[in-house]
Coordinates of all heavy atoms in Angstrom, one line a residue:
S1 N 0.4 -5.3 5.2 CA 0.2 -4.9 6.6 C -0.5 -3.6 6.8 O -0.6 -2.8 5.9 CB 1.6 -4.7 7.3 OG 2.3 -3.6 6.8
D2 N -1.0 -3.4 8.0 CA -1.8 -2.1 8.3 C -0.7 -1.0 8.2 O -1.1 0.2 7.9 CB -2.4 -2.2 9.7 CG -1.5 -2.6 10.8 OD1 -0.3 -2.9 10.5 OD2 -1.9 -2.6 12.0
N3 N 0.5 -1.3 8.5 CA 1.6 -0.3 8.5 C 1.8 0.2 7.0 O 2.0 1.3 6.7 CB 2.9 -0.8 9.0 CG 4.1 0.0 9.0 OD1 4.7 0.2 7.9 ND2 4.3 0.9 10.0
F4 N 1.8 -0.8 6.1 CA 1.9 -0.4 4.6 C 0.7 0.4 4.3 O 0.8 1.5 3.5 CB 1.9 -1.7 3.8 CG 2.1 -1.4 2.4 CD1 3.2 -1.3 1.8 CD2 0.9 -1.4 1.5 CE1 3.4 -1.1 0.4 CE2 0.9 -1.2 0.2 CZ 2.2 -1.0 -0.4
V5 N -0.5 0.1 4.7 CA -1.7 0.9 4.3 C -1.7 2.3 4.8 O -1.9 3.3 4.2 CB -3.0 0.2 4.8 CG1 -4.1 1.1 4.7 CG2 -3.2 -1.0 4.1
K6 N -1.1 2.4 6.1 CA -1.1 3.8 6.8 C -0.1 4.6 6.1 O -0.3 5.9 5.8 CB -0.6 3.5 8.2 CG -0.5 4.8 9.0 CD -0.2 4.5 10.5 CE 0.0 5.8 11.2 NZ 0.3 5.5 12.7
Y7 N 1.2 4.2 5.7 CA 2.2 5.1 5.2 C 2.3 5.0 3.6 O 2.6 6.1 3.0 CB 3.5 4.7 5.8 CG 3.6 5.0 7.3 CD1 3.5 4.0 8.2 CD2 3.7 6.3 7.7 CE1 3.4 4.3 9.6 CE2 3.7 6.7 9.1 CZ 3.6 5.6 10.0 OH 3.6 5.9 11.3
A8 N 2.0 3.9 3.0 CA 2.2 3.8 1.6 C 0.9 4.3 0.9 O 0.9 4.9 -0.2 CB 2.6 2.4 1.1
L9 N -0.2 3.9 1.4 CA -1.5 4.2 0.9 C -2.2 5.3 1.5 O -3.4 5.5 1.4 CB -2.3 3.0 0.8 CG -1.8 1.7 0.1 CD1 -2.8 0.6 0.2 CD2 -1.4 2.1 -1.3
N10 N -1.4 6.1 2.4 CA -2.1 7.3 2.9 C -3.2 7.0 3.8 O -4.2 7.7 3.9 CB -2.4 8.3 2.0 CG -2.6 9.8 2.5 OD1 -1.9 10.0 3.6 ND2 -3.4 10.5 1.9
D11 N -3.1 5.9 4.6 CA -4.2 5.4 5.5 C -5.6 5.3 4.9 O -6.5 5.7 5.4 CB -4.3 6.3 6.7 CG -4.7 5.6 8.0 OD1 -4.8 4.4 8.0 OD2 -5.0 6.3 9.0
M12 N -5.5 4.7 3.7 CA -6.7 4.4 2.9 C -7.8 3.6 3.8 O -7.5 2.6 4.4 CB -6.4 3.6 1.6 CG -7.6 3.4 0.7 SD -7.1 2.6 -0.7 CE -5.9 3.7 -1.6
E13 N -9.1 4.1 3.6 CA -10.1 3.6 4.5 C -10.3 2.2 4.1 O -10.6 1.2 5.0 CB -11.3 4.4 4.4 CG -12.4 4.0 5.4 CD -13.6 5.0 5.3 OE1 -13.4 6.2 5.0 OE2 -14.7 4.6 5.8
D14 N -10.5 1.9 2.8 CA -10.8 0.5 2.3 C -9.9 0.2 1.2 O -10.2 0.4 0.0 CB -12.3 0.5 1.9 CG -12.7 -1.0 1.5 OD1 -11.8 -1.9 1.8 OD2 -13.7 -1.1 0.8
P15 N -8.7 -0.4 1.5 CA -7.7 -0.7 0.4 C -8.0 -2.0 -0.3 O -7.3 -2.3 -1.2 CB -6.4 -0.8 1.1 CG -6.8 -1.3 2.6 CD -8.2 -0.7 2.8
I16 N -9.0 -2.8 0.1 CA -9.3 -4.0 -0.6 C -9.7 -3.8 -2.0 O -10.6 -3.0 -2.4 CB -10.5 -4.8 0.1 CG1 -10.2 -5.0 1.7 CG2 -10.8 -6.2 -0.5 CD1 -8.9 -5.7 1.9
G17 N -9.0 -4.6 -2.9 CA -9.1 -4.4 -4.4 C -8.2 -3.4 -5.0 O -8.2 -3.3 -6.2
E18 N -7.5 -2.7 -4.1 CA -6.5 -1.7 -4.7 C -5.3 -2.3 -5.4 O -4.8 -3.3 -4.9 CB -6.0 -0.8 -3.5 CG -5.1 0.3 -3.9 CD -5.8 1.5 -4.5 OE1 -7.1 1.5 -4.5 OE2 -5.1 2.4 -5.1
K19 N -5.0 -1.8 -6.6 CA -4.0 -2.4 -7.3 C -2.6 -1.6 -6.9 O -2.6 -0.4 -6.8 CB -4.2 -2.1 -8.8 CG -3.1 -2.6 -9.7 CD -3.3 -2.2 -11.3 CE -2.2 -2.6 -12.1 NZ -2.5 -2.3 -13.5
I20 N -1.6 -2.5 -6.6 CA -0.3 -1.8 -6.2 C 0.7 -2.4 -7.0 O 0.7 -3.6 -7.6 CB 0.0 -2.1 -4.6 CG1 0.0 -3.5 -4.4 CG2 -1.0 -1.3 -3.8 CD1 0.6 -3.8 -2.9
E21 N 1.8 -1.7 -7.1 CA 3.0 -2.1 -7.9 C 4.3 -1.9 -7.1 O 4.4 -0.8 -6.6 CB 3.2 -1.4 -9.3 CG 2.1 -1.8 -10.3 CD 2.3 -1.1 -11.6 OE1 3.2 -0.2 -11.7 OE2 1.7 -1.5 -12.7
V22 N 5.0 -2.9 -6.8 CA 6.3 -2.7 -6.1 C 7.5 -3.2 -7.0 O 7.2 -4.0 -7.9 CB 6.3 -3.6 -4.8 CG1 5.2 -3.1 -3.8 CG2 6.1 -5.0 -5.0
E23 N 8.6 -2.6 -6.9 CA 9.7 -2.8 -7.7 C 10.9 -3.4 -6.9 O 11.4 -2.8 -5.9 CB 10.1 -1.5 -8.3 CG 11.3 -1.7 -9.4 CD 11.5 -0.3 -10.1 OE1 10.6 0.5 -10.3 OE2 12.8 -0.1 -10.3
T24 N 11.4 -4.5 -7.3 CA 12.5 -5.2 -6.7 C 13.8 -4.5 -7.0 O 13.8 -3.6 -8.0 CB 12.6 -6.6 -7.1 OG1 12.9 -6.8 -8.5 CG2 11.4 -7.4 -6.8
L25 N 14.8 -4.8 -6.3 CA 16.1 -4.2 -6.5 C 16.7 -4.4 -7.9 O 17.5 -3.6 -8.4 CB 17.1 -4.7 -5.4 CG 16.7 -4.4 -4.0 CD1 17.8 -5.0 -3.0 CD2 16.5 -2.9 -3.8
D26 N 16.2 -5.4 -8.6 CA 16.7 -5.8 -9.9 C 15.9 -5.1 -11.0 O 16.0 -5.4 -12.2 CB 17.0 -7.2 -10.2 CG 15.7 -8.0 -10.1 OD1 14.6 -7.4 -9.9 OD2 15.8 -9.3 -10.2

């Protein structure tokens, strides 16, 4: 979401192709 880009990626201008890692609760 644009909300994720704004707050998690510091409002990155072009996040396409950006590698991200998220961690589940387990």
Side-chain angles (χ1 to χ4, degrees):
S1 69
D2 55 352
N3 177 273
F4 180 87
V5 172
K6 181 178 180 180
Y7 291 102
L9 303 181
N10 198 25
D11 210 7
M12 185 180 291
E13 186 175 339
D14 184 15
I16 304 302
E18 184 74 12
K19 178 183 177 182
I20 62 172
E21 291 183 350
V22 296
E23 186 177 322
T24 63
L25 298 179
D26 62 3

